[in-house]
Structures are given as structure tokens and as C-alpha cells.
Amino acid sequence: MSMPAANRMTLQSFKARQGGAKKGHSLLKKKRDALKTKFQGLLKDIVDTKLEVGQLLKDASFSFAKAQWANAGDDITSTVLERAKRPAVTLRLVADNIAGVSIPVFKHTYDANSDSAGQSLGVAHGGAVINACKDTYLKAIVRLVRLASLQTAFKTLDEEIKMTSRRVNALEYVLIPRIEKVIDYVTMEMDEQAREEFFRVKKVVEKKKAKIEKERLAEAQATNSISDQAIDAPSMFDDKKDKDLVF
């Protein structure tokens, strides 16, 4: 991986990216934990609802068999289908939000007016048994809708947990270590540049000091030379007699 230029701006930029990556990692981890908690709750609800649906379907099958027997063994299926003009139970899809994840939920609506066509079924004999069979199947349908919602949410959460886990692992084991590696490299290079700059300044200062010392010594030598010349000059107060001058 090619490293960027080692300067303070690069260091600040990657430190900001590191902070953002760590914050995103923390948020995604919390989201994953919340989804896993909801996932475990859904799993328990699915198991309980499946057991309940299984029992209700058994009861509905037994009720249908009793309705057939109460109707003198005649098949009432064709009669029910003929009288059913509009559906009594309809479904609509709504969205639920769990930790920022949109979960599809099925909502059922029961219209008793649409189901009035079957009220006169079995008036001659077996009407109460047929109505009980209808009520049992209605309860089974309601629980089936509930089970469908739970299983859809279960599958959606499973995919979301896998995707969130991949993001968390990518941040934790790839992106953040890569950013930290760049920060360490830039810091090391900047420290090396600072040491080189300190060494260069130190050398410059030493050279300046040596130059100043050399100039001071030269100036001192020049001063001493002038002093010596001044000392060697003849004095007018000496006892030595000057030579006679001939005019």
C-alpha cells in the first residue's frame, strides 16, 4: 500500500477518519447486538407459534371432519366455494422498524359482512358444527398470518445481522488497522523530520558560534598587535640624547 505524504494535514485527516471509523464500528456493533437480541426473541415466538398453529390445524381438521359427518357425510367444500363471493379475511403489508431495519409485517382484517353468505349453511342440520369449524379455521388463519410475519422478520433480520457483522469485521480487522498503520507511519516520518530539523539547526548554531568565536579571536589578535606597536614607540621623556642636527 502506497503511503501518503507525511505532514500535519495528512495526520489530522487520518485521525479524523480513525475517529469516524471507530464511532461507526461502535454504532454498528450496538446495532448488531440489538438485532441479535430481537432475533433470539423472534426465534422463541416462532417456536411457540408453530406449536400453536400445529395444534389449531389439527383441531380445524377434526372440526371439518365433524362438519362433514354432521352434514350427513356430504362434501361441503363445493357449497362453501359457491357461496364465497368475496374474501372475509384480507391481508395488508406494513413496515416495522427494528434498530433502523425495515421489517415487513402482515396485518389481517376480518370482514364479518363478507362472511355472512355462509351463515345459512347447514340450517337443516349440522349448522352449529359447521360454524364451529369455520371459527376454528379462522383462528388457525390468524395464527398462520402471525407465523408468516414472524418468519419473514426472522429471515430479514438474519440477512441484516450477517451484513452488519461483515461491516463490523471489515471495520475492526481491515479499515481501522490500515488507518492506524498510516497514522503510525506519518507520525514516525514527522518525528524523523523533526530530529533532522533539530540536528540541522544545531549544526547551524554551532557553525555560527564557531564563526563568532573566530571573529572574536581575530579581533583580539588585531587589538593586541596595535597595543604592541603603541608600546614600541619612542618616548620623549627618555634619557637618550637625540643626534645633533647640522644646519
Side-chain angles (χ1 to χ4, degrees):
M1 182 179 69
S2 60
M3 293 296 180
N7 51 53
R8 193 165 298 278
M9 184 178 295
T10 303
L11 183 62
Q12 291 177 352
S13 174
F14 274 88
K15 280 187 176 180
R17 290 178 62 183
Q18 183 188 31
K22 286 185 176 180
K23 185 176 180 180
H25 174 264
S26 176
L27 292 175
L28 285 174
K29 208 168 183 180
K30 290 179 181 179
K31 177 182 177 181
R32 183 185 63 181
D33 294 341
L35 292 177
K36 282 185 176 180
T37 303
K38 184 65 177 178
F39 187 79
Q40 295 296 329
L42 282 178
L43 184 60
K44 183 178 181 302
D45 290 342
I46 287 174
V47 172
D48 295 340
T49 307
K50 275 188 175 181
L51 293 175
E52 188 177 356
V53 167
Q55 185 61 42
L56 283 172
L57 289 178
K58 287 181 181 179
D59 294 342
S61 298
F62 185 67
S63 297
F64 182 72
K66 288 197 298 183
Q68 295 276 41
W69 177 80
N71 201 35
D74 297 333
D75 188 9
I76 62 173
T77 305
S78 58
T79 307
V80 172
L81 290 176
E82 288 176 0
R83 297 192 179 190
K85 302 299 182 182
R86 291 183 301 172
V89 179
T90 55
L91 296 180
R92 59 189 179 91
L93 186 63
V94 297
D96 190 13
N97 191 296
I98 301 176
V101 180
S102 181
I103 304 296
V105 178
F106 297 107
K107 297 291 185 180
H108 74 280
T109 304
Y110 174 66
D111 186 7
N113 295 326
S114 299
D115 199 23
S116 60
Q119 297 293 335
S120 60
L121 188 65
V123 173
H125 45 78
V129 178
I130 293 175
N131 288 331
C133 176
K134 181 189 67 175
D135 293 339
T136 307
Y137 268 101
L138 181 61
K139 292 179 181 178
I141 288 174
V142 170
R143 303 313 295 170
L144 279 172
V145 172
R146 170 68 176 165
L147 181 60
S149 296
L150 290 174
Q151 288 186 331
T152 304
F154 184 84
K155 185 175 181 181
T156 305
L157 283 180
D158 185 43
E159 295 295 330
E160 188 67 26
I161 288 172
K162 289 179 182 178
M163 184 174 64
T164 306
S165 298
R166 286 195 294 267
R167 290 177 178 174
V168 170
N169 293 334
L171 285 172
E172 184 175 357
Y173 298 109
V174 179
L175 186 59
I176 293 178
R178 188 179 297 172
I179 293 175
E180 290 177 348
K181 183 179 179 181
V182 173
I183 290 176
D184 293 340
Y185 166 77
V186 172
T187 303
M188 183 180 65
E189 288 293 322
M190 289 181 64
D191 291 342
E192 185 67 24
Q193 291 174 6
R195 284 192 292 269
E196 291 177 357
E197 183 68 17
F198 176 76
F199 182 75
R200 186 183 66 81
V201 171
K202 186 177 179 181
K203 283 294 183 182
V204 170
V205 171
E206 288 178 355
K207 286 184 179 181
K208 284 186 176 180
K209 286 183 178 180
K211 183 179 179 182
I212 292 173
E213 183 66 20
K214 186 176 180 181
E215 291 177 352
R216 189 182 65 81
L217 291 175
E219 185 178 353
Q221 288 177 359
T223 305
N224 292 334
S225 177
I226 293 173
S227 299
D228 292 341
Q229 291 177 4
I231 292 173
D232 293 340
S235 177
M236 61 182 297
F237 299 104
D238 290 342
D239 294 337
K240 184 177 180 181
K241 187 177 180 180
D242 294 337
K243 295 181 179 180
D244 296 335
L245 296 176
V246 179
F247 292 98

